[in-house]
Amino acid sequence: MFGDQISQDSLMHYVGLFRQAYNRRSKQHQITIKEAAEIKQILKQELPTLPRDVRPKPIATSKDLILLLEQLWIKDTFRYPNERYRVQLTIYLHLLAYTASRPGAIIVSSAYRGTNECILYQDFQVNVIPPLDPDTDRPRITLTPRINLMKGGRDDPSKYIEMTMKENRMAPYLCPVTMFLVLAFMDDVFAHYPDPETLLSYRLPPGKEKHTIQYKPEKMKIPLFRLATSNRVNSDISDTAGWSSQSSASALSRLSERAGFFPPLTPYAFRRGSLNLIQMVASEAQTQQIAGHRNFKTIQKYMAKQPRIDVQGLFTDGEMELDHIDLLKRPDRREGVALPLPTAIRNQINTGPKAKAMDSEIKSLKGELMRVLPTTCRMPTTDQLRSGRKFFDAFIPRIQLELRGNSQDPVGMAACETSHIEQILQALQTVVKAKKVYLETCRRQALKVFRADWLSEQNAKDSRYNWQKHIGDSEEAPGTELDCAAVPKSLSMALFLKQPPDIPAAINLIYNLMKFCQCVASG
């Protein structure tokens, strides 16, 4: 019933999650804390062999964040449904690392699926403050997200926390302000600043210490992180649907795999990394407030078993060296790990002779099934056919009812035709399952051969993301003056310090690039 790796602590945690979900849905009965404790006790007695040891959990550091962003912006050849995902994923990582928030406080939580509750534009305050050097510098821009989807306090407007983030002019790729402004200008949310030049050229009047950027009233409740309308390349972005936990977790997992992390990173790796740093400098009350825990003991689960303290260094010469400790706590990253198969290899497997023969047989059986099915019954999907007996138990009785209603001999003819339809369905189900097993076997065998050195060789040929591949062969689009050939070099220079750091240049470049891709996608 359970996977090989589940521990007793994990199972007890799932009982608590089940209680919360059940109590939210049930109108008649509520599972009390006492009843949940009794369920846990029964499970412990019935499953005494479950392991009690606690598995080590990875703690992401700033070096891991940089590796992911370098993969995302320079090395990656992956094509997202919409290029907004590339910017969304960047600022999502920023918020996880810089606020230590749960992912469910930023994007649509899996525990609240269907509610579309996520962080909105109105939850971000953008301020312009005086520069450090008024004579030579432009004003600074700060970003203050309000995290109000706190665990256990979603319905209480008084429970929230605000954390102010600043520009990182020395490392634009680590700057949340840059990526937020790109999305804000793409969505045209600011009331008085339609483009980056207008905002970046603003100067504070003498004596004024802060200028808060106002939003358009109709834009305030738009989610910052949004879903694409489909998984196809060049898909549109929804105006209202928030980025789901499943989609965002998949994007992060696949990115970390392509960057060489094994097992892939999860959002909680960054939450653990941030909380381990926060507890070193913050008070117990501050740490508890940032973590959003009612009980400080819960925070201990996020803490590394090895404190980030070099006792040997303190004892011998009074100074700490932390590099060797941080290195041992970081997630595993192996260059030789088997990575996801390239699209070319997957296509070769999917279009092989045996796969084509199975596709032909499936098409033939579906055609025969279409001829005998009642017109009111839909053709079953591939997922339904794979579900086995459960699908038959629901589908066959419905067909019998339809046939009896259309037949002059409600019992005889209906039973005969139903038997024929069931035979076709069983044959179709057998071929569909056989094809799935065949493709999975081929992919596993291919993964044994495919290694990261092949990917490194490919990346060496084109070390930066191939924007031409995404936007087509056209070098121009209406309303833009973007030089496609110069994009990869300019982008890496603007974000990753190949030239003097320039936040406005990075904002303008990414903003224009997204506008260009949007224009090409819309034809």
Side-chain angles (χ1 to χ4, degrees):
M1 178 178 177
F2 301 111
D4 296 335
Q5 295 184 340
I6 192 169
S7 64
Q8 190 175 103
D9 286 343
S10 297
L11 183 58
M12 299 303 107
H13 177 65
Y14 293 150
V15 171
L17 294 178
F18 170 76
R19 172 179 170 269
Q20 294 174 9
Y22 181 87
N23 289 348
R24 279 199 301 269
R25 295 293 183 91
S26 176
K27 303 294 184 182
Q28 299 177 348
H29 176 71
Q30 296 285 293
I31 300 177
T32 65
I33 296 178
K34 182 179 179 181
E35 288 172 337
E38 291 175 353
I39 294 173
K40 292 178 180 180
Q41 189 62 34
I42 293 172
L43 287 174
K44 289 179 181 179
Q45 294 173 357
E46 295 293 328
L47 302 169
T49 59
L50 287 180
R52 294 295 306 274
D53 55 319
V54 179
R55 297 185 299 275
K57 298 179 179 179
I59 298 175
T61 67
S62 61
K63 294 181 179 179
D64 302 311
L65 177 60
I66 292 172
L67 287 170
L68 287 178
L69 295 179
E70 285 181 345
Q71 177 69 30
L72 181 64
W73 286 97
I74 297 181
K75 299 178 181 179
D76 218 356
T77 58
F78 183 77
R79 301 176 68 185
Y80 289 96
N82 189 291
E83 277 308 307
R84 182 189 179 95
Y85 272 28
R86 195 176 303 275
V87 184
Q88 282 190 175
L89 188 52
T90 304
I91 192 172
Y92 180 51
L93 291 172
H94 290 162
L95 290 177
L96 289 174
Y98 302 156
T99 67
S101 297
R102 296 181 180 88
I106 301 172
I107 43 88
V108 180
S109 171
S110 58
Y112 293 86
R113 189 181 290 109
T115 63
N116 206 42
E117 291 183 351
C118 56
I119 200 163
L120 311 174
Y121 272 112
Q122 68 179 11
D123 299 321
F124 290 88
Q125 186 179 88
V126 182
N127 289 304
V128 180
I129 61 176
L132 295 175
D133 186 352
D135 296 330
T136 61
D137 204 358
R138 65 172 175 82
R140 293 169 291 165
I141 301 176
T142 64
L143 180 67
T144 305
R146 172 180 288 198
I147 310 298
N148 51 24
L149 297 176
M150 307 288 284
K151 187 175 182 180
R154 284 177 172 250
D155 300 327
D156 188 349
S158 65
K159 291 186 178 181
Y160 66 87
I161 184 171
E162 295 180 336
M163 302 188 73
T164 297
M165 298 177 287
K166 60 183 184 299
E167 293 180 70
N168 189 337
R169 299 185 182 182
M170 296 306 297
Y173 56 95
L174 295 176
C175 177
V177 177
T178 298
M179 299 301 167
F180 176 83
L181 290 180
V182 169
L183 294 181
F185 286 122
M186 284 296 301
D187 294 331
D188 191 24
V189 300
F190 295 137
H192 307 295
Y193 302 95
D195 52 56
E197 290 80 7
T198 312
L199 175 60
L200 296 171
S201 62
Y202 174 81
R203 296 296 180 266
L204 287 167
K208 189 171 184 179
E209 295 186 349
K210 181 183 73 171
H211 172 61
T212 302
I213 308 301
Q214 301 297 320
Y215 294 103
K216 295 179 179 178
E218 66 274 15
K219 302 283 188 177
M220 294 182 67
K221 293 189 179 296
I222 295 178
L224 174 66
F225 301 96
R226 302 205 295 279
L227 268 176
T229 53
S230 74
N231 289 326
R232 297 192 304 270
V233 176
N234 291 339
S235 296
D236 293 330
I237 286 288
S238 171
D239 294 330
T240 57
W243 206 17
S244 66
S245 59
Q246 180 180 2
S247 177
S248 57
S250 174
L252 175 56
S253 176
R254 293 180 179 181
L255 173 64
S256 60
E257 284 180 343
R258 296 194 299 273
F261 289 96
F262 183 80
L265 294 178
T266 67
Y268 276 90
F270 291 93
R271 176 169 163 85
R272 283 190 290 269
S274 297
L275 288 177
N276 273 271
L277 296 175
I278 290 168
Q279 61 90 24
M280 294 177 60
V281 296
S283 66
E284 184 175 307
Q286 289 174 322
T287 305
Q288 187 172 345
Q289 180 188 21
I290 293 172
H293 290 302
R294 298 177 183 175
N295 191 337
F296 187 76
K297 291 181 179 179
T298 309
I299 301 176
Q300 302 302 317
K301 297 181 180 179
Y302 288 87
M303 299 297 104
K305 297 302 181 183
Q306 179 179 354
R308 195 170 180 266
I309 299 175
D310 179 16
V311 180
Q312 177 188 1
L314 290 173
F315 191 87
T316 53
D317 53 19
E319 296 183 359
M320 289 199 301
E321 294 182 6
L322 301 175
D323 287 348
H324 62 293
I325 298 176
D326 292 341
L327 183 65
L328 295 176
K329 293 192 294 184
R330 287 179 60 194
D332 290 336
R333 183 171 180 266
R334 294 179 283 176
E335 294 292 343
V337 68
L339 299 178
L341 286 174
T343 304
I345 297 179
R346 295 177 69 92
N347 289 341
Q348 187 177 354
I349 294 172
N350 294 339
T351 58
K354 189 170 182 178
K356 283 186 175 181
M358 290 181 174
D359 285 336
S360 178
E361 188 175 357
I362 290 172
K363 185 177 180 180
S364 175
L365 287 170
K366 283 187 174 181
E368 186 177 351
L369 182 62
M370 184 66 74
R371 288 192 295 271
V372 296
L373 269 182
T375 55
T376 53
C377 292
R378 293 182 179 181
M379 175 68 68
T381 65
T382 302
D383 289 337
Q384 288 174 329
L385 291 169
R386 289 174 180 170
S387 62
R389 196 69 237 174
K390 181 179 178 181
F391 163 69
F392 275 82
D393 292 342
F395 193 68
I396 297 300
R398 189 162 72 247
I399 293 176
Q400 290 176 336
L401 289 175
E402 294 292 338
L403 291 173
R404 287 173 185 173
N406 299 331
S407 174
Q408 296 178 352
D409 179 12
V411 179
M413 289 183 62
C416 182
E417 292 184 34
T418 302
S419 176
H420 181 50
I421 291 174
E422 190 167 1
Q423 289 177 0
I424 299 174
L425 281 172
Q426 288 176 346
L428 184 58
Q429 187 180 48
T430 301
V431 180
V432 168
K433 287 186 174 181
K435 181 187 174 185
K436 180 183 178 182
V437 172
Y438 168 72
L439 292 179
E440 289 179 350
T441 303
C442 289
R443 289 166 187 164
R444 282 197 299 269
Q445 291 173 349
L447 278 173
K448 293 178 181 179
V449 179
F450 174 67
R451 290 292 182 269
D453 55 351
W454 184 92
L455 185 65
S456 300
E457 182 181 343
Q458 299 302 310
N459 283 336
K461 295 177 182 177
D462 181 11
S463 61
R464 299 185 180 93
Y465 177 72
N466 189 355
W467 295 98
Q468 288 271 26
K469 183 177 180 182
H470 173 72
I471 60 181
D473 298 328
S474 171
E475 293 191 0
E476 296 182 359
T480 65
E481 297 180 355
L482 188 64
D483 181 3
C484 302
V487 164
K489 183 178 179 182
S490 301
L491 188 60
S492 61
M493 289 171 70
L495 287 178
F496 289 89
L497 304 183
K498 305 295 184 181
Q499 67 179 18
D502 189 355
I503 294 288
I507 293 175
N508 274 298
L509 185 61
I510 302 172
Y511 171 70
N512 287 328
L513 177 64
M514 291 184 66
K515 293 287 285 186
F516 186 90
C517 294
Q518 185 183 59
C519 191
V520 171
S522 61

